[in-house]
Amino acid sequence: MHRIKSLLVSSAILFPVFHAVAQEAKPQDTEVWEPVPAIVTLGTAASAPSDAIVLFDGRNLDSWVSDKGGAAPWTIKDGAMTVAKGKGGIKTKETFEDFQLHIEFRTPEVVKGEGQGRGNSGIFLQEFYELQVLDNYNNKTYSNGQVGSIYKQAIPLANPSRKPGEWQTYDVIWTAPRFNEDGSLKSPARVTALLNNVLVQNNFELLGKTLYIGKPFYEKHGAKSIALQDHGDLVSFRNIWVRKL
Ligand code: MG
């Protein structure tokens, strides 16, 4: 009895103390100081941030190969690389899983064709998943195939296209799909993309590989290249860099 009484007394004394401590919570209590994010020196409009892997700086195609094997056959002029019509796409020598990608493209100033036949190329994220490149300035096509789309899967949230012949920017955050040992899907690929600094894909979960015909599905793979499409139009690219995440 005496012990219970003393416990009651002590908790009666302690309770206001705890209460007072709780009241004395400071803003500093919820500040987290470690780890410190690494300082990155920003690039200019035409160069990469300090921790990026530069994939194309306007001088050579050393980081690229033909998707048919061998040297990348595209042409370089005035700091830009351009599709060599009919010679096939190109892909990076290095392979990637999760990454941030910056890439600039320009569709031909002289407009030819319409719909999918006008300034068509594509950025194949991990080789299988196409972020569409198309001249959609006053050019109608199916919504899930226009610039900013994940081709035939995700309609872009906006169409912030610049005029044909003007340089446009893509900034992409890619999360690779993950697979189980048996090949089944563990988690789908996800993409966020900005076209000319306007959000066009917001953390979209992909349904599988890009297909021209039929419904997309996944097949197990690991790190893959970033590839650029030859769709027969003279689309140019410049200032390409990637940051592995
Ligand atoms: Mg395309």
Side-chain angles (χ1 to χ4, degrees), residues 50-70:
S50 57
D51 63 348
I53 298 165
V54 175
L55 295 174
F56 180 65
D57 67 359
R59 286 183 287 194
N60 60 64
L61 293 170
D62 291 356
S63 301
W64 300 80
V65 289
S66 165
D67 62 11
K68 295 170 181 166

Side-chain angles (χ1 to χ4, degrees), residues 68-91:
K68 295 170 181 166
W74 291 16
T75 58
I76 298 179
K77 194 186 168 194
D78 300 332
M81 60 156 99
T82 300
V83 171
K85 191 174 174 175
K87 291 192 177 171
I90 62 172
K91 64 178 187 176

Side-chain angles (χ1 to χ4, degrees), residues 71-191:
W74 291 16
T75 58
I76 298 179
K77 194 186 168 194
D78 300 332
M81 60 156 99
T82 300
V83 171
K85 191 174 174 175
K87 291 192 177 171
I90 62 172
K91 64 178 187 176
T92 57
K93 288 178 182 170
E94 192 160 353
T95 58
F96 304 94
E97 290 191 295
D98 302 342
F99 57 82
Q100 174 188 351
L101 172 70
H102 175 87
I103 186 164
E104 300 176 18
F105 68 92
R106 181 183 62 194
T107 62
E109 188 173 359
V110 178
V111 172
K112 280 186 203 157
E114 57 180 352
Q116 293 288 314
R118 184 168 142 184
N120 194 333
S121 183
I123 301 158
F124 280 80
L125 307 161
Q126 286 198 304
E127 301 183 43
F128 300 126
Y129 313 94
E130 185 183 11
L131 175 61
Q132 177 69 303
V133 170
L134 195 70
D135 173 6
N136 270 117
Y137 190 85
N138 294 329
N139 179 32
K140 195 164 174 63
T141 186
Y142 40 95
S143 297
N144 64 352
Q146 72 175 60
V147 70
S149 68
I150 297 299
Y151 187 75
K152 296 234 173 126
Q153 288 193 41
I155 296 169
L157 301 170
N159 178 4
S161 290
R162 293 192 196 278
K163 290 177 182 171
E166 292 184 8
W167 283 102
Q168 312 198 54
T169 63
Y170 256 140
D171 290 279
V172 182
I173 298 158
W174 177 257
T175 304
R178 262 63 177 185
F179 299 89
N180 297 307
E181 284 286 313
D182 66 0
S184 61
L185 184 69
K186 193 174 189 178
S187 57
R190 283 182 286 128
V191 67

